[in-house]
Structures are given as C-alpha cells and as structure tokens.
Amino acid sequence: MSSSAILRRSRADNIMDMTLLIIAAANAVIGWSIGICGIAGFLLPMLYTAALGYSVELALAASFLAFLVSGVIGSYNYYRAGNLEKNISLKLSVGSIAGAVAGVYLQALISQSAAKTILYLVVLLSGLSILYRLRRERKPGCAADGVPAHNGGLVDKTWFLLALGLSTGAVCSLSGAGGPILVMPLLVTLGVSPRLAVGIALLNSVFIAVPSCVGYLARVNAAELWRLLLLVCISHGLGVLVGSRMASIVPVKALKIFVAVFSVGIAIYMLA
C-alpha cells in the first residue's frame, strides 16, 4: 500500500472516530436532558442529517433506537413513582403501533429533501411549543402535578385514544419527533396532570419507537453499523440515567428554555 493510500485511510479513520465521538456526546447530552425534563429527543434526527450528513433513513433509525432506550428507562422510573396511568397508556399505544407502521411507509414515498424539511419544521414547532407551554404554565388555573389523572371526557373514550395514538404515532414516526414532545401537551390539554402525561408519553414512545426502528433499520445496512447503534444505546442510556438522578438539582425551566431557543434558532437556520 502506497504512503498516500495509508494517509487517506488514516484520515478516514480519524474522521470516523471524531464522528462517533460527536454522536456519543450528543446522545449523552440529549439523554441527560430527557432524563431531567422529558424533552430534546427531537434534536437527534437533525444532528444526523444537518450536522453529519447522514441519510434520513439512517438518521431516523438511530434516533428511534435512542428513543426506545429513553422510553423504557423513563417510563419505568415514572411507573415506580406511581406516575403512569396504565389504562390510558395501553389504549393510546395500541393506536400508536399502527400509526408508526403507517408513518414509516409514508416516509418512503417522499423525497430526501422533503423529509429533511419535515424534520426541520418539526424541530421548529417543537421549540415553539415548549416556549408556549412555559408561558402558559405561568398563568393561574393551569394544571399542576398532583391533580387527578384526568377530568373525564374524550380521554375516557377508547375510540378517541386509539385515534389519537394512530395519528400521533404516524406523525412521530414520519418526522422523527419521538413522541413525548407531541403527545404530552395533548394529554395535558385533555385534562391529564403534567406528571402523569409525561409518564404516559414516555411509555407511548416505546410503542412508536419499536416499529419505527425496525422499519428504518430494514432500509440501511444494520450489520455494518453495529458499532454506531451500540454506541447510541450506551451513551443515550447513560445520559438518561444521569439526568434522572439530577432532576431535583437542575433548574428544569432554564433547561427547557435553552432547548427551545436552540431548537428554534437551528431550525430557522436550516430552513433558510
């Protein structure tokens, strides 16, 4: 092998090592944020497509694998704390499975550029949604932790929960939103307490992530990417675990504001 070929191979190895380091760090930080306040996962697909230049299929496969890890860890913690409404969760998740399958199918029908535009719009709307909810929480009369699981109405209707799961599952699977960023505020609007809504949304994200992850992994060469996928699981899982232990000492509101402002700014930049 010539010296120039060896040099090119060394440079390629260094680039790969740096890429893996970026992925590990980003998954750990985003997992840490999820462990504290349940948000930020929607930034992962943008990292892979905008910063690293990965295909949308690979970006969504790696992102939903991370969402599966954080969903399992997060929902288990909320279940142990008694903040998980199983009846609502199961009905919602049944619809989400079908919705996620539909979302993966629909994603295959659109172009790469259209898929990236959808990703960036979801990040923009997610950031704006966080800021809106923070402003709304300051108003008197808003739902607070400790109120009953729900106040009756549509959230008691099986058909409505199935339809809600179907629609949100399709949107999340298609766009890479993950789940909680969309499902949690909808549940709060329907009368579910914020803490219970986060627990339900985290468990629901598992049922969105499984078919989404399987569907997108089938479109890439997973056998060649096993190091990347293993790194995603480990770094994201550790981030969630550390974040969940720091939830009581980190100012959650400030973290949410930072995530929201960063999301809006980077999404506008990419769309422009």
Side-chain angles (χ1 to χ4, degrees), residues 197-229:
V198 174
I200 294 170
L202 284 170
L203 179 60
N204 181 244
S205 69
V206 174
F207 290 88
I208 296 174
V210 171
S212 300
C213 189
V214 171
Y216 289 121
L217 282 175
R219 300 181 190 172
V220 300
N221 193 339
E224 294 183 357
L225 299 169
W226 67 269
R227 287 195 305 167
L228 168 65
L229 300 176

Side-chain angles (χ1 to χ4, degrees), residues 17-222:
D17 291 341
M18 182 59 67
T19 300
L20 292 177
L21 181 60
I22 292 172
I23 291 172
N27 271 277
V29 171
I30 291 174
W32 174 79
S33 178
I34 292 174
I36 293 173
C37 58
I39 62 171
F42 56 86
L43 290 172
L44 280 176
M46 176 173 280
L47 164 74
Y48 294 124
T49 56
L52 300 179
Y54 286 178
S55 68
V56 173
E57 289 82 4
L58 178 54
L60 292 176
S63 297
F64 278 108
L65 182 61
F67 299 156
L68 176 60
V69 173
S70 58
V72 169
I73 295 173
S75 59
Y76 175 71
N77 288 336
Y78 272 77
Y79 175 75
R80 288 184 59 189
N83 293 312
L84 185 59
E85 169 57 67
K86 291 184 288 185
N87 186 45
I88 297 176
S89 299
L90 292 177
K91 293 176 182 178
L92 186 68
S93 297
V94 168
S96 292
I97 294 174
V101 173
V104 173
Y105 175 76
L106 291 172
Q107 198 279 334
L109 302 179
I110 61 179
S111 66
Q112 289 279 315
S113 60
K116 289 183 179 181
T117 300
I118 291 174
L119 288 176
Y120 303 152
L121 284 173
V122 167
V123 172
L124 174 61
L125 294 175
S126 298
L128 293 174
S129 172
I130 295 169
L131 293 174
Y132 172 76
R133 291 204 312 274
L134 287 172
R135 181 181 179 183
R136 186 171 178 269
E137 286 171 2
R138 295 186 305 189
K139 296 181 179 180
C142 292
D145 293 343
V147 301
H150 55 83
N151 299 318
L154 289 174
V155 78
D156 283 329
K157 308 294 184 180
T158 298
W159 65 267
F160 177 78
L161 290 174
L162 291 174
L164 181 63
L166 179 67
S167 57
T168 54
V171 172
C172 291
S173 178
L174 171 64
S175 65
I181 191 65
L182 180 62
V183 175
M184 193 272 284
L186 290 175
L187 290 174
V188 173
T189 302
L190 291 169
V192 179
S193 74
R195 189 167 294 278
L196 284 173
V198 174
I200 294 170
L202 284 170
L203 179 60
N204 181 244
S205 69
V206 174
F207 290 88
I208 296 174
V210 171
S212 300
C213 189
V214 171
Y216 289 121
L217 282 175
R219 300 181 190 172
V220 300
N221 193 339

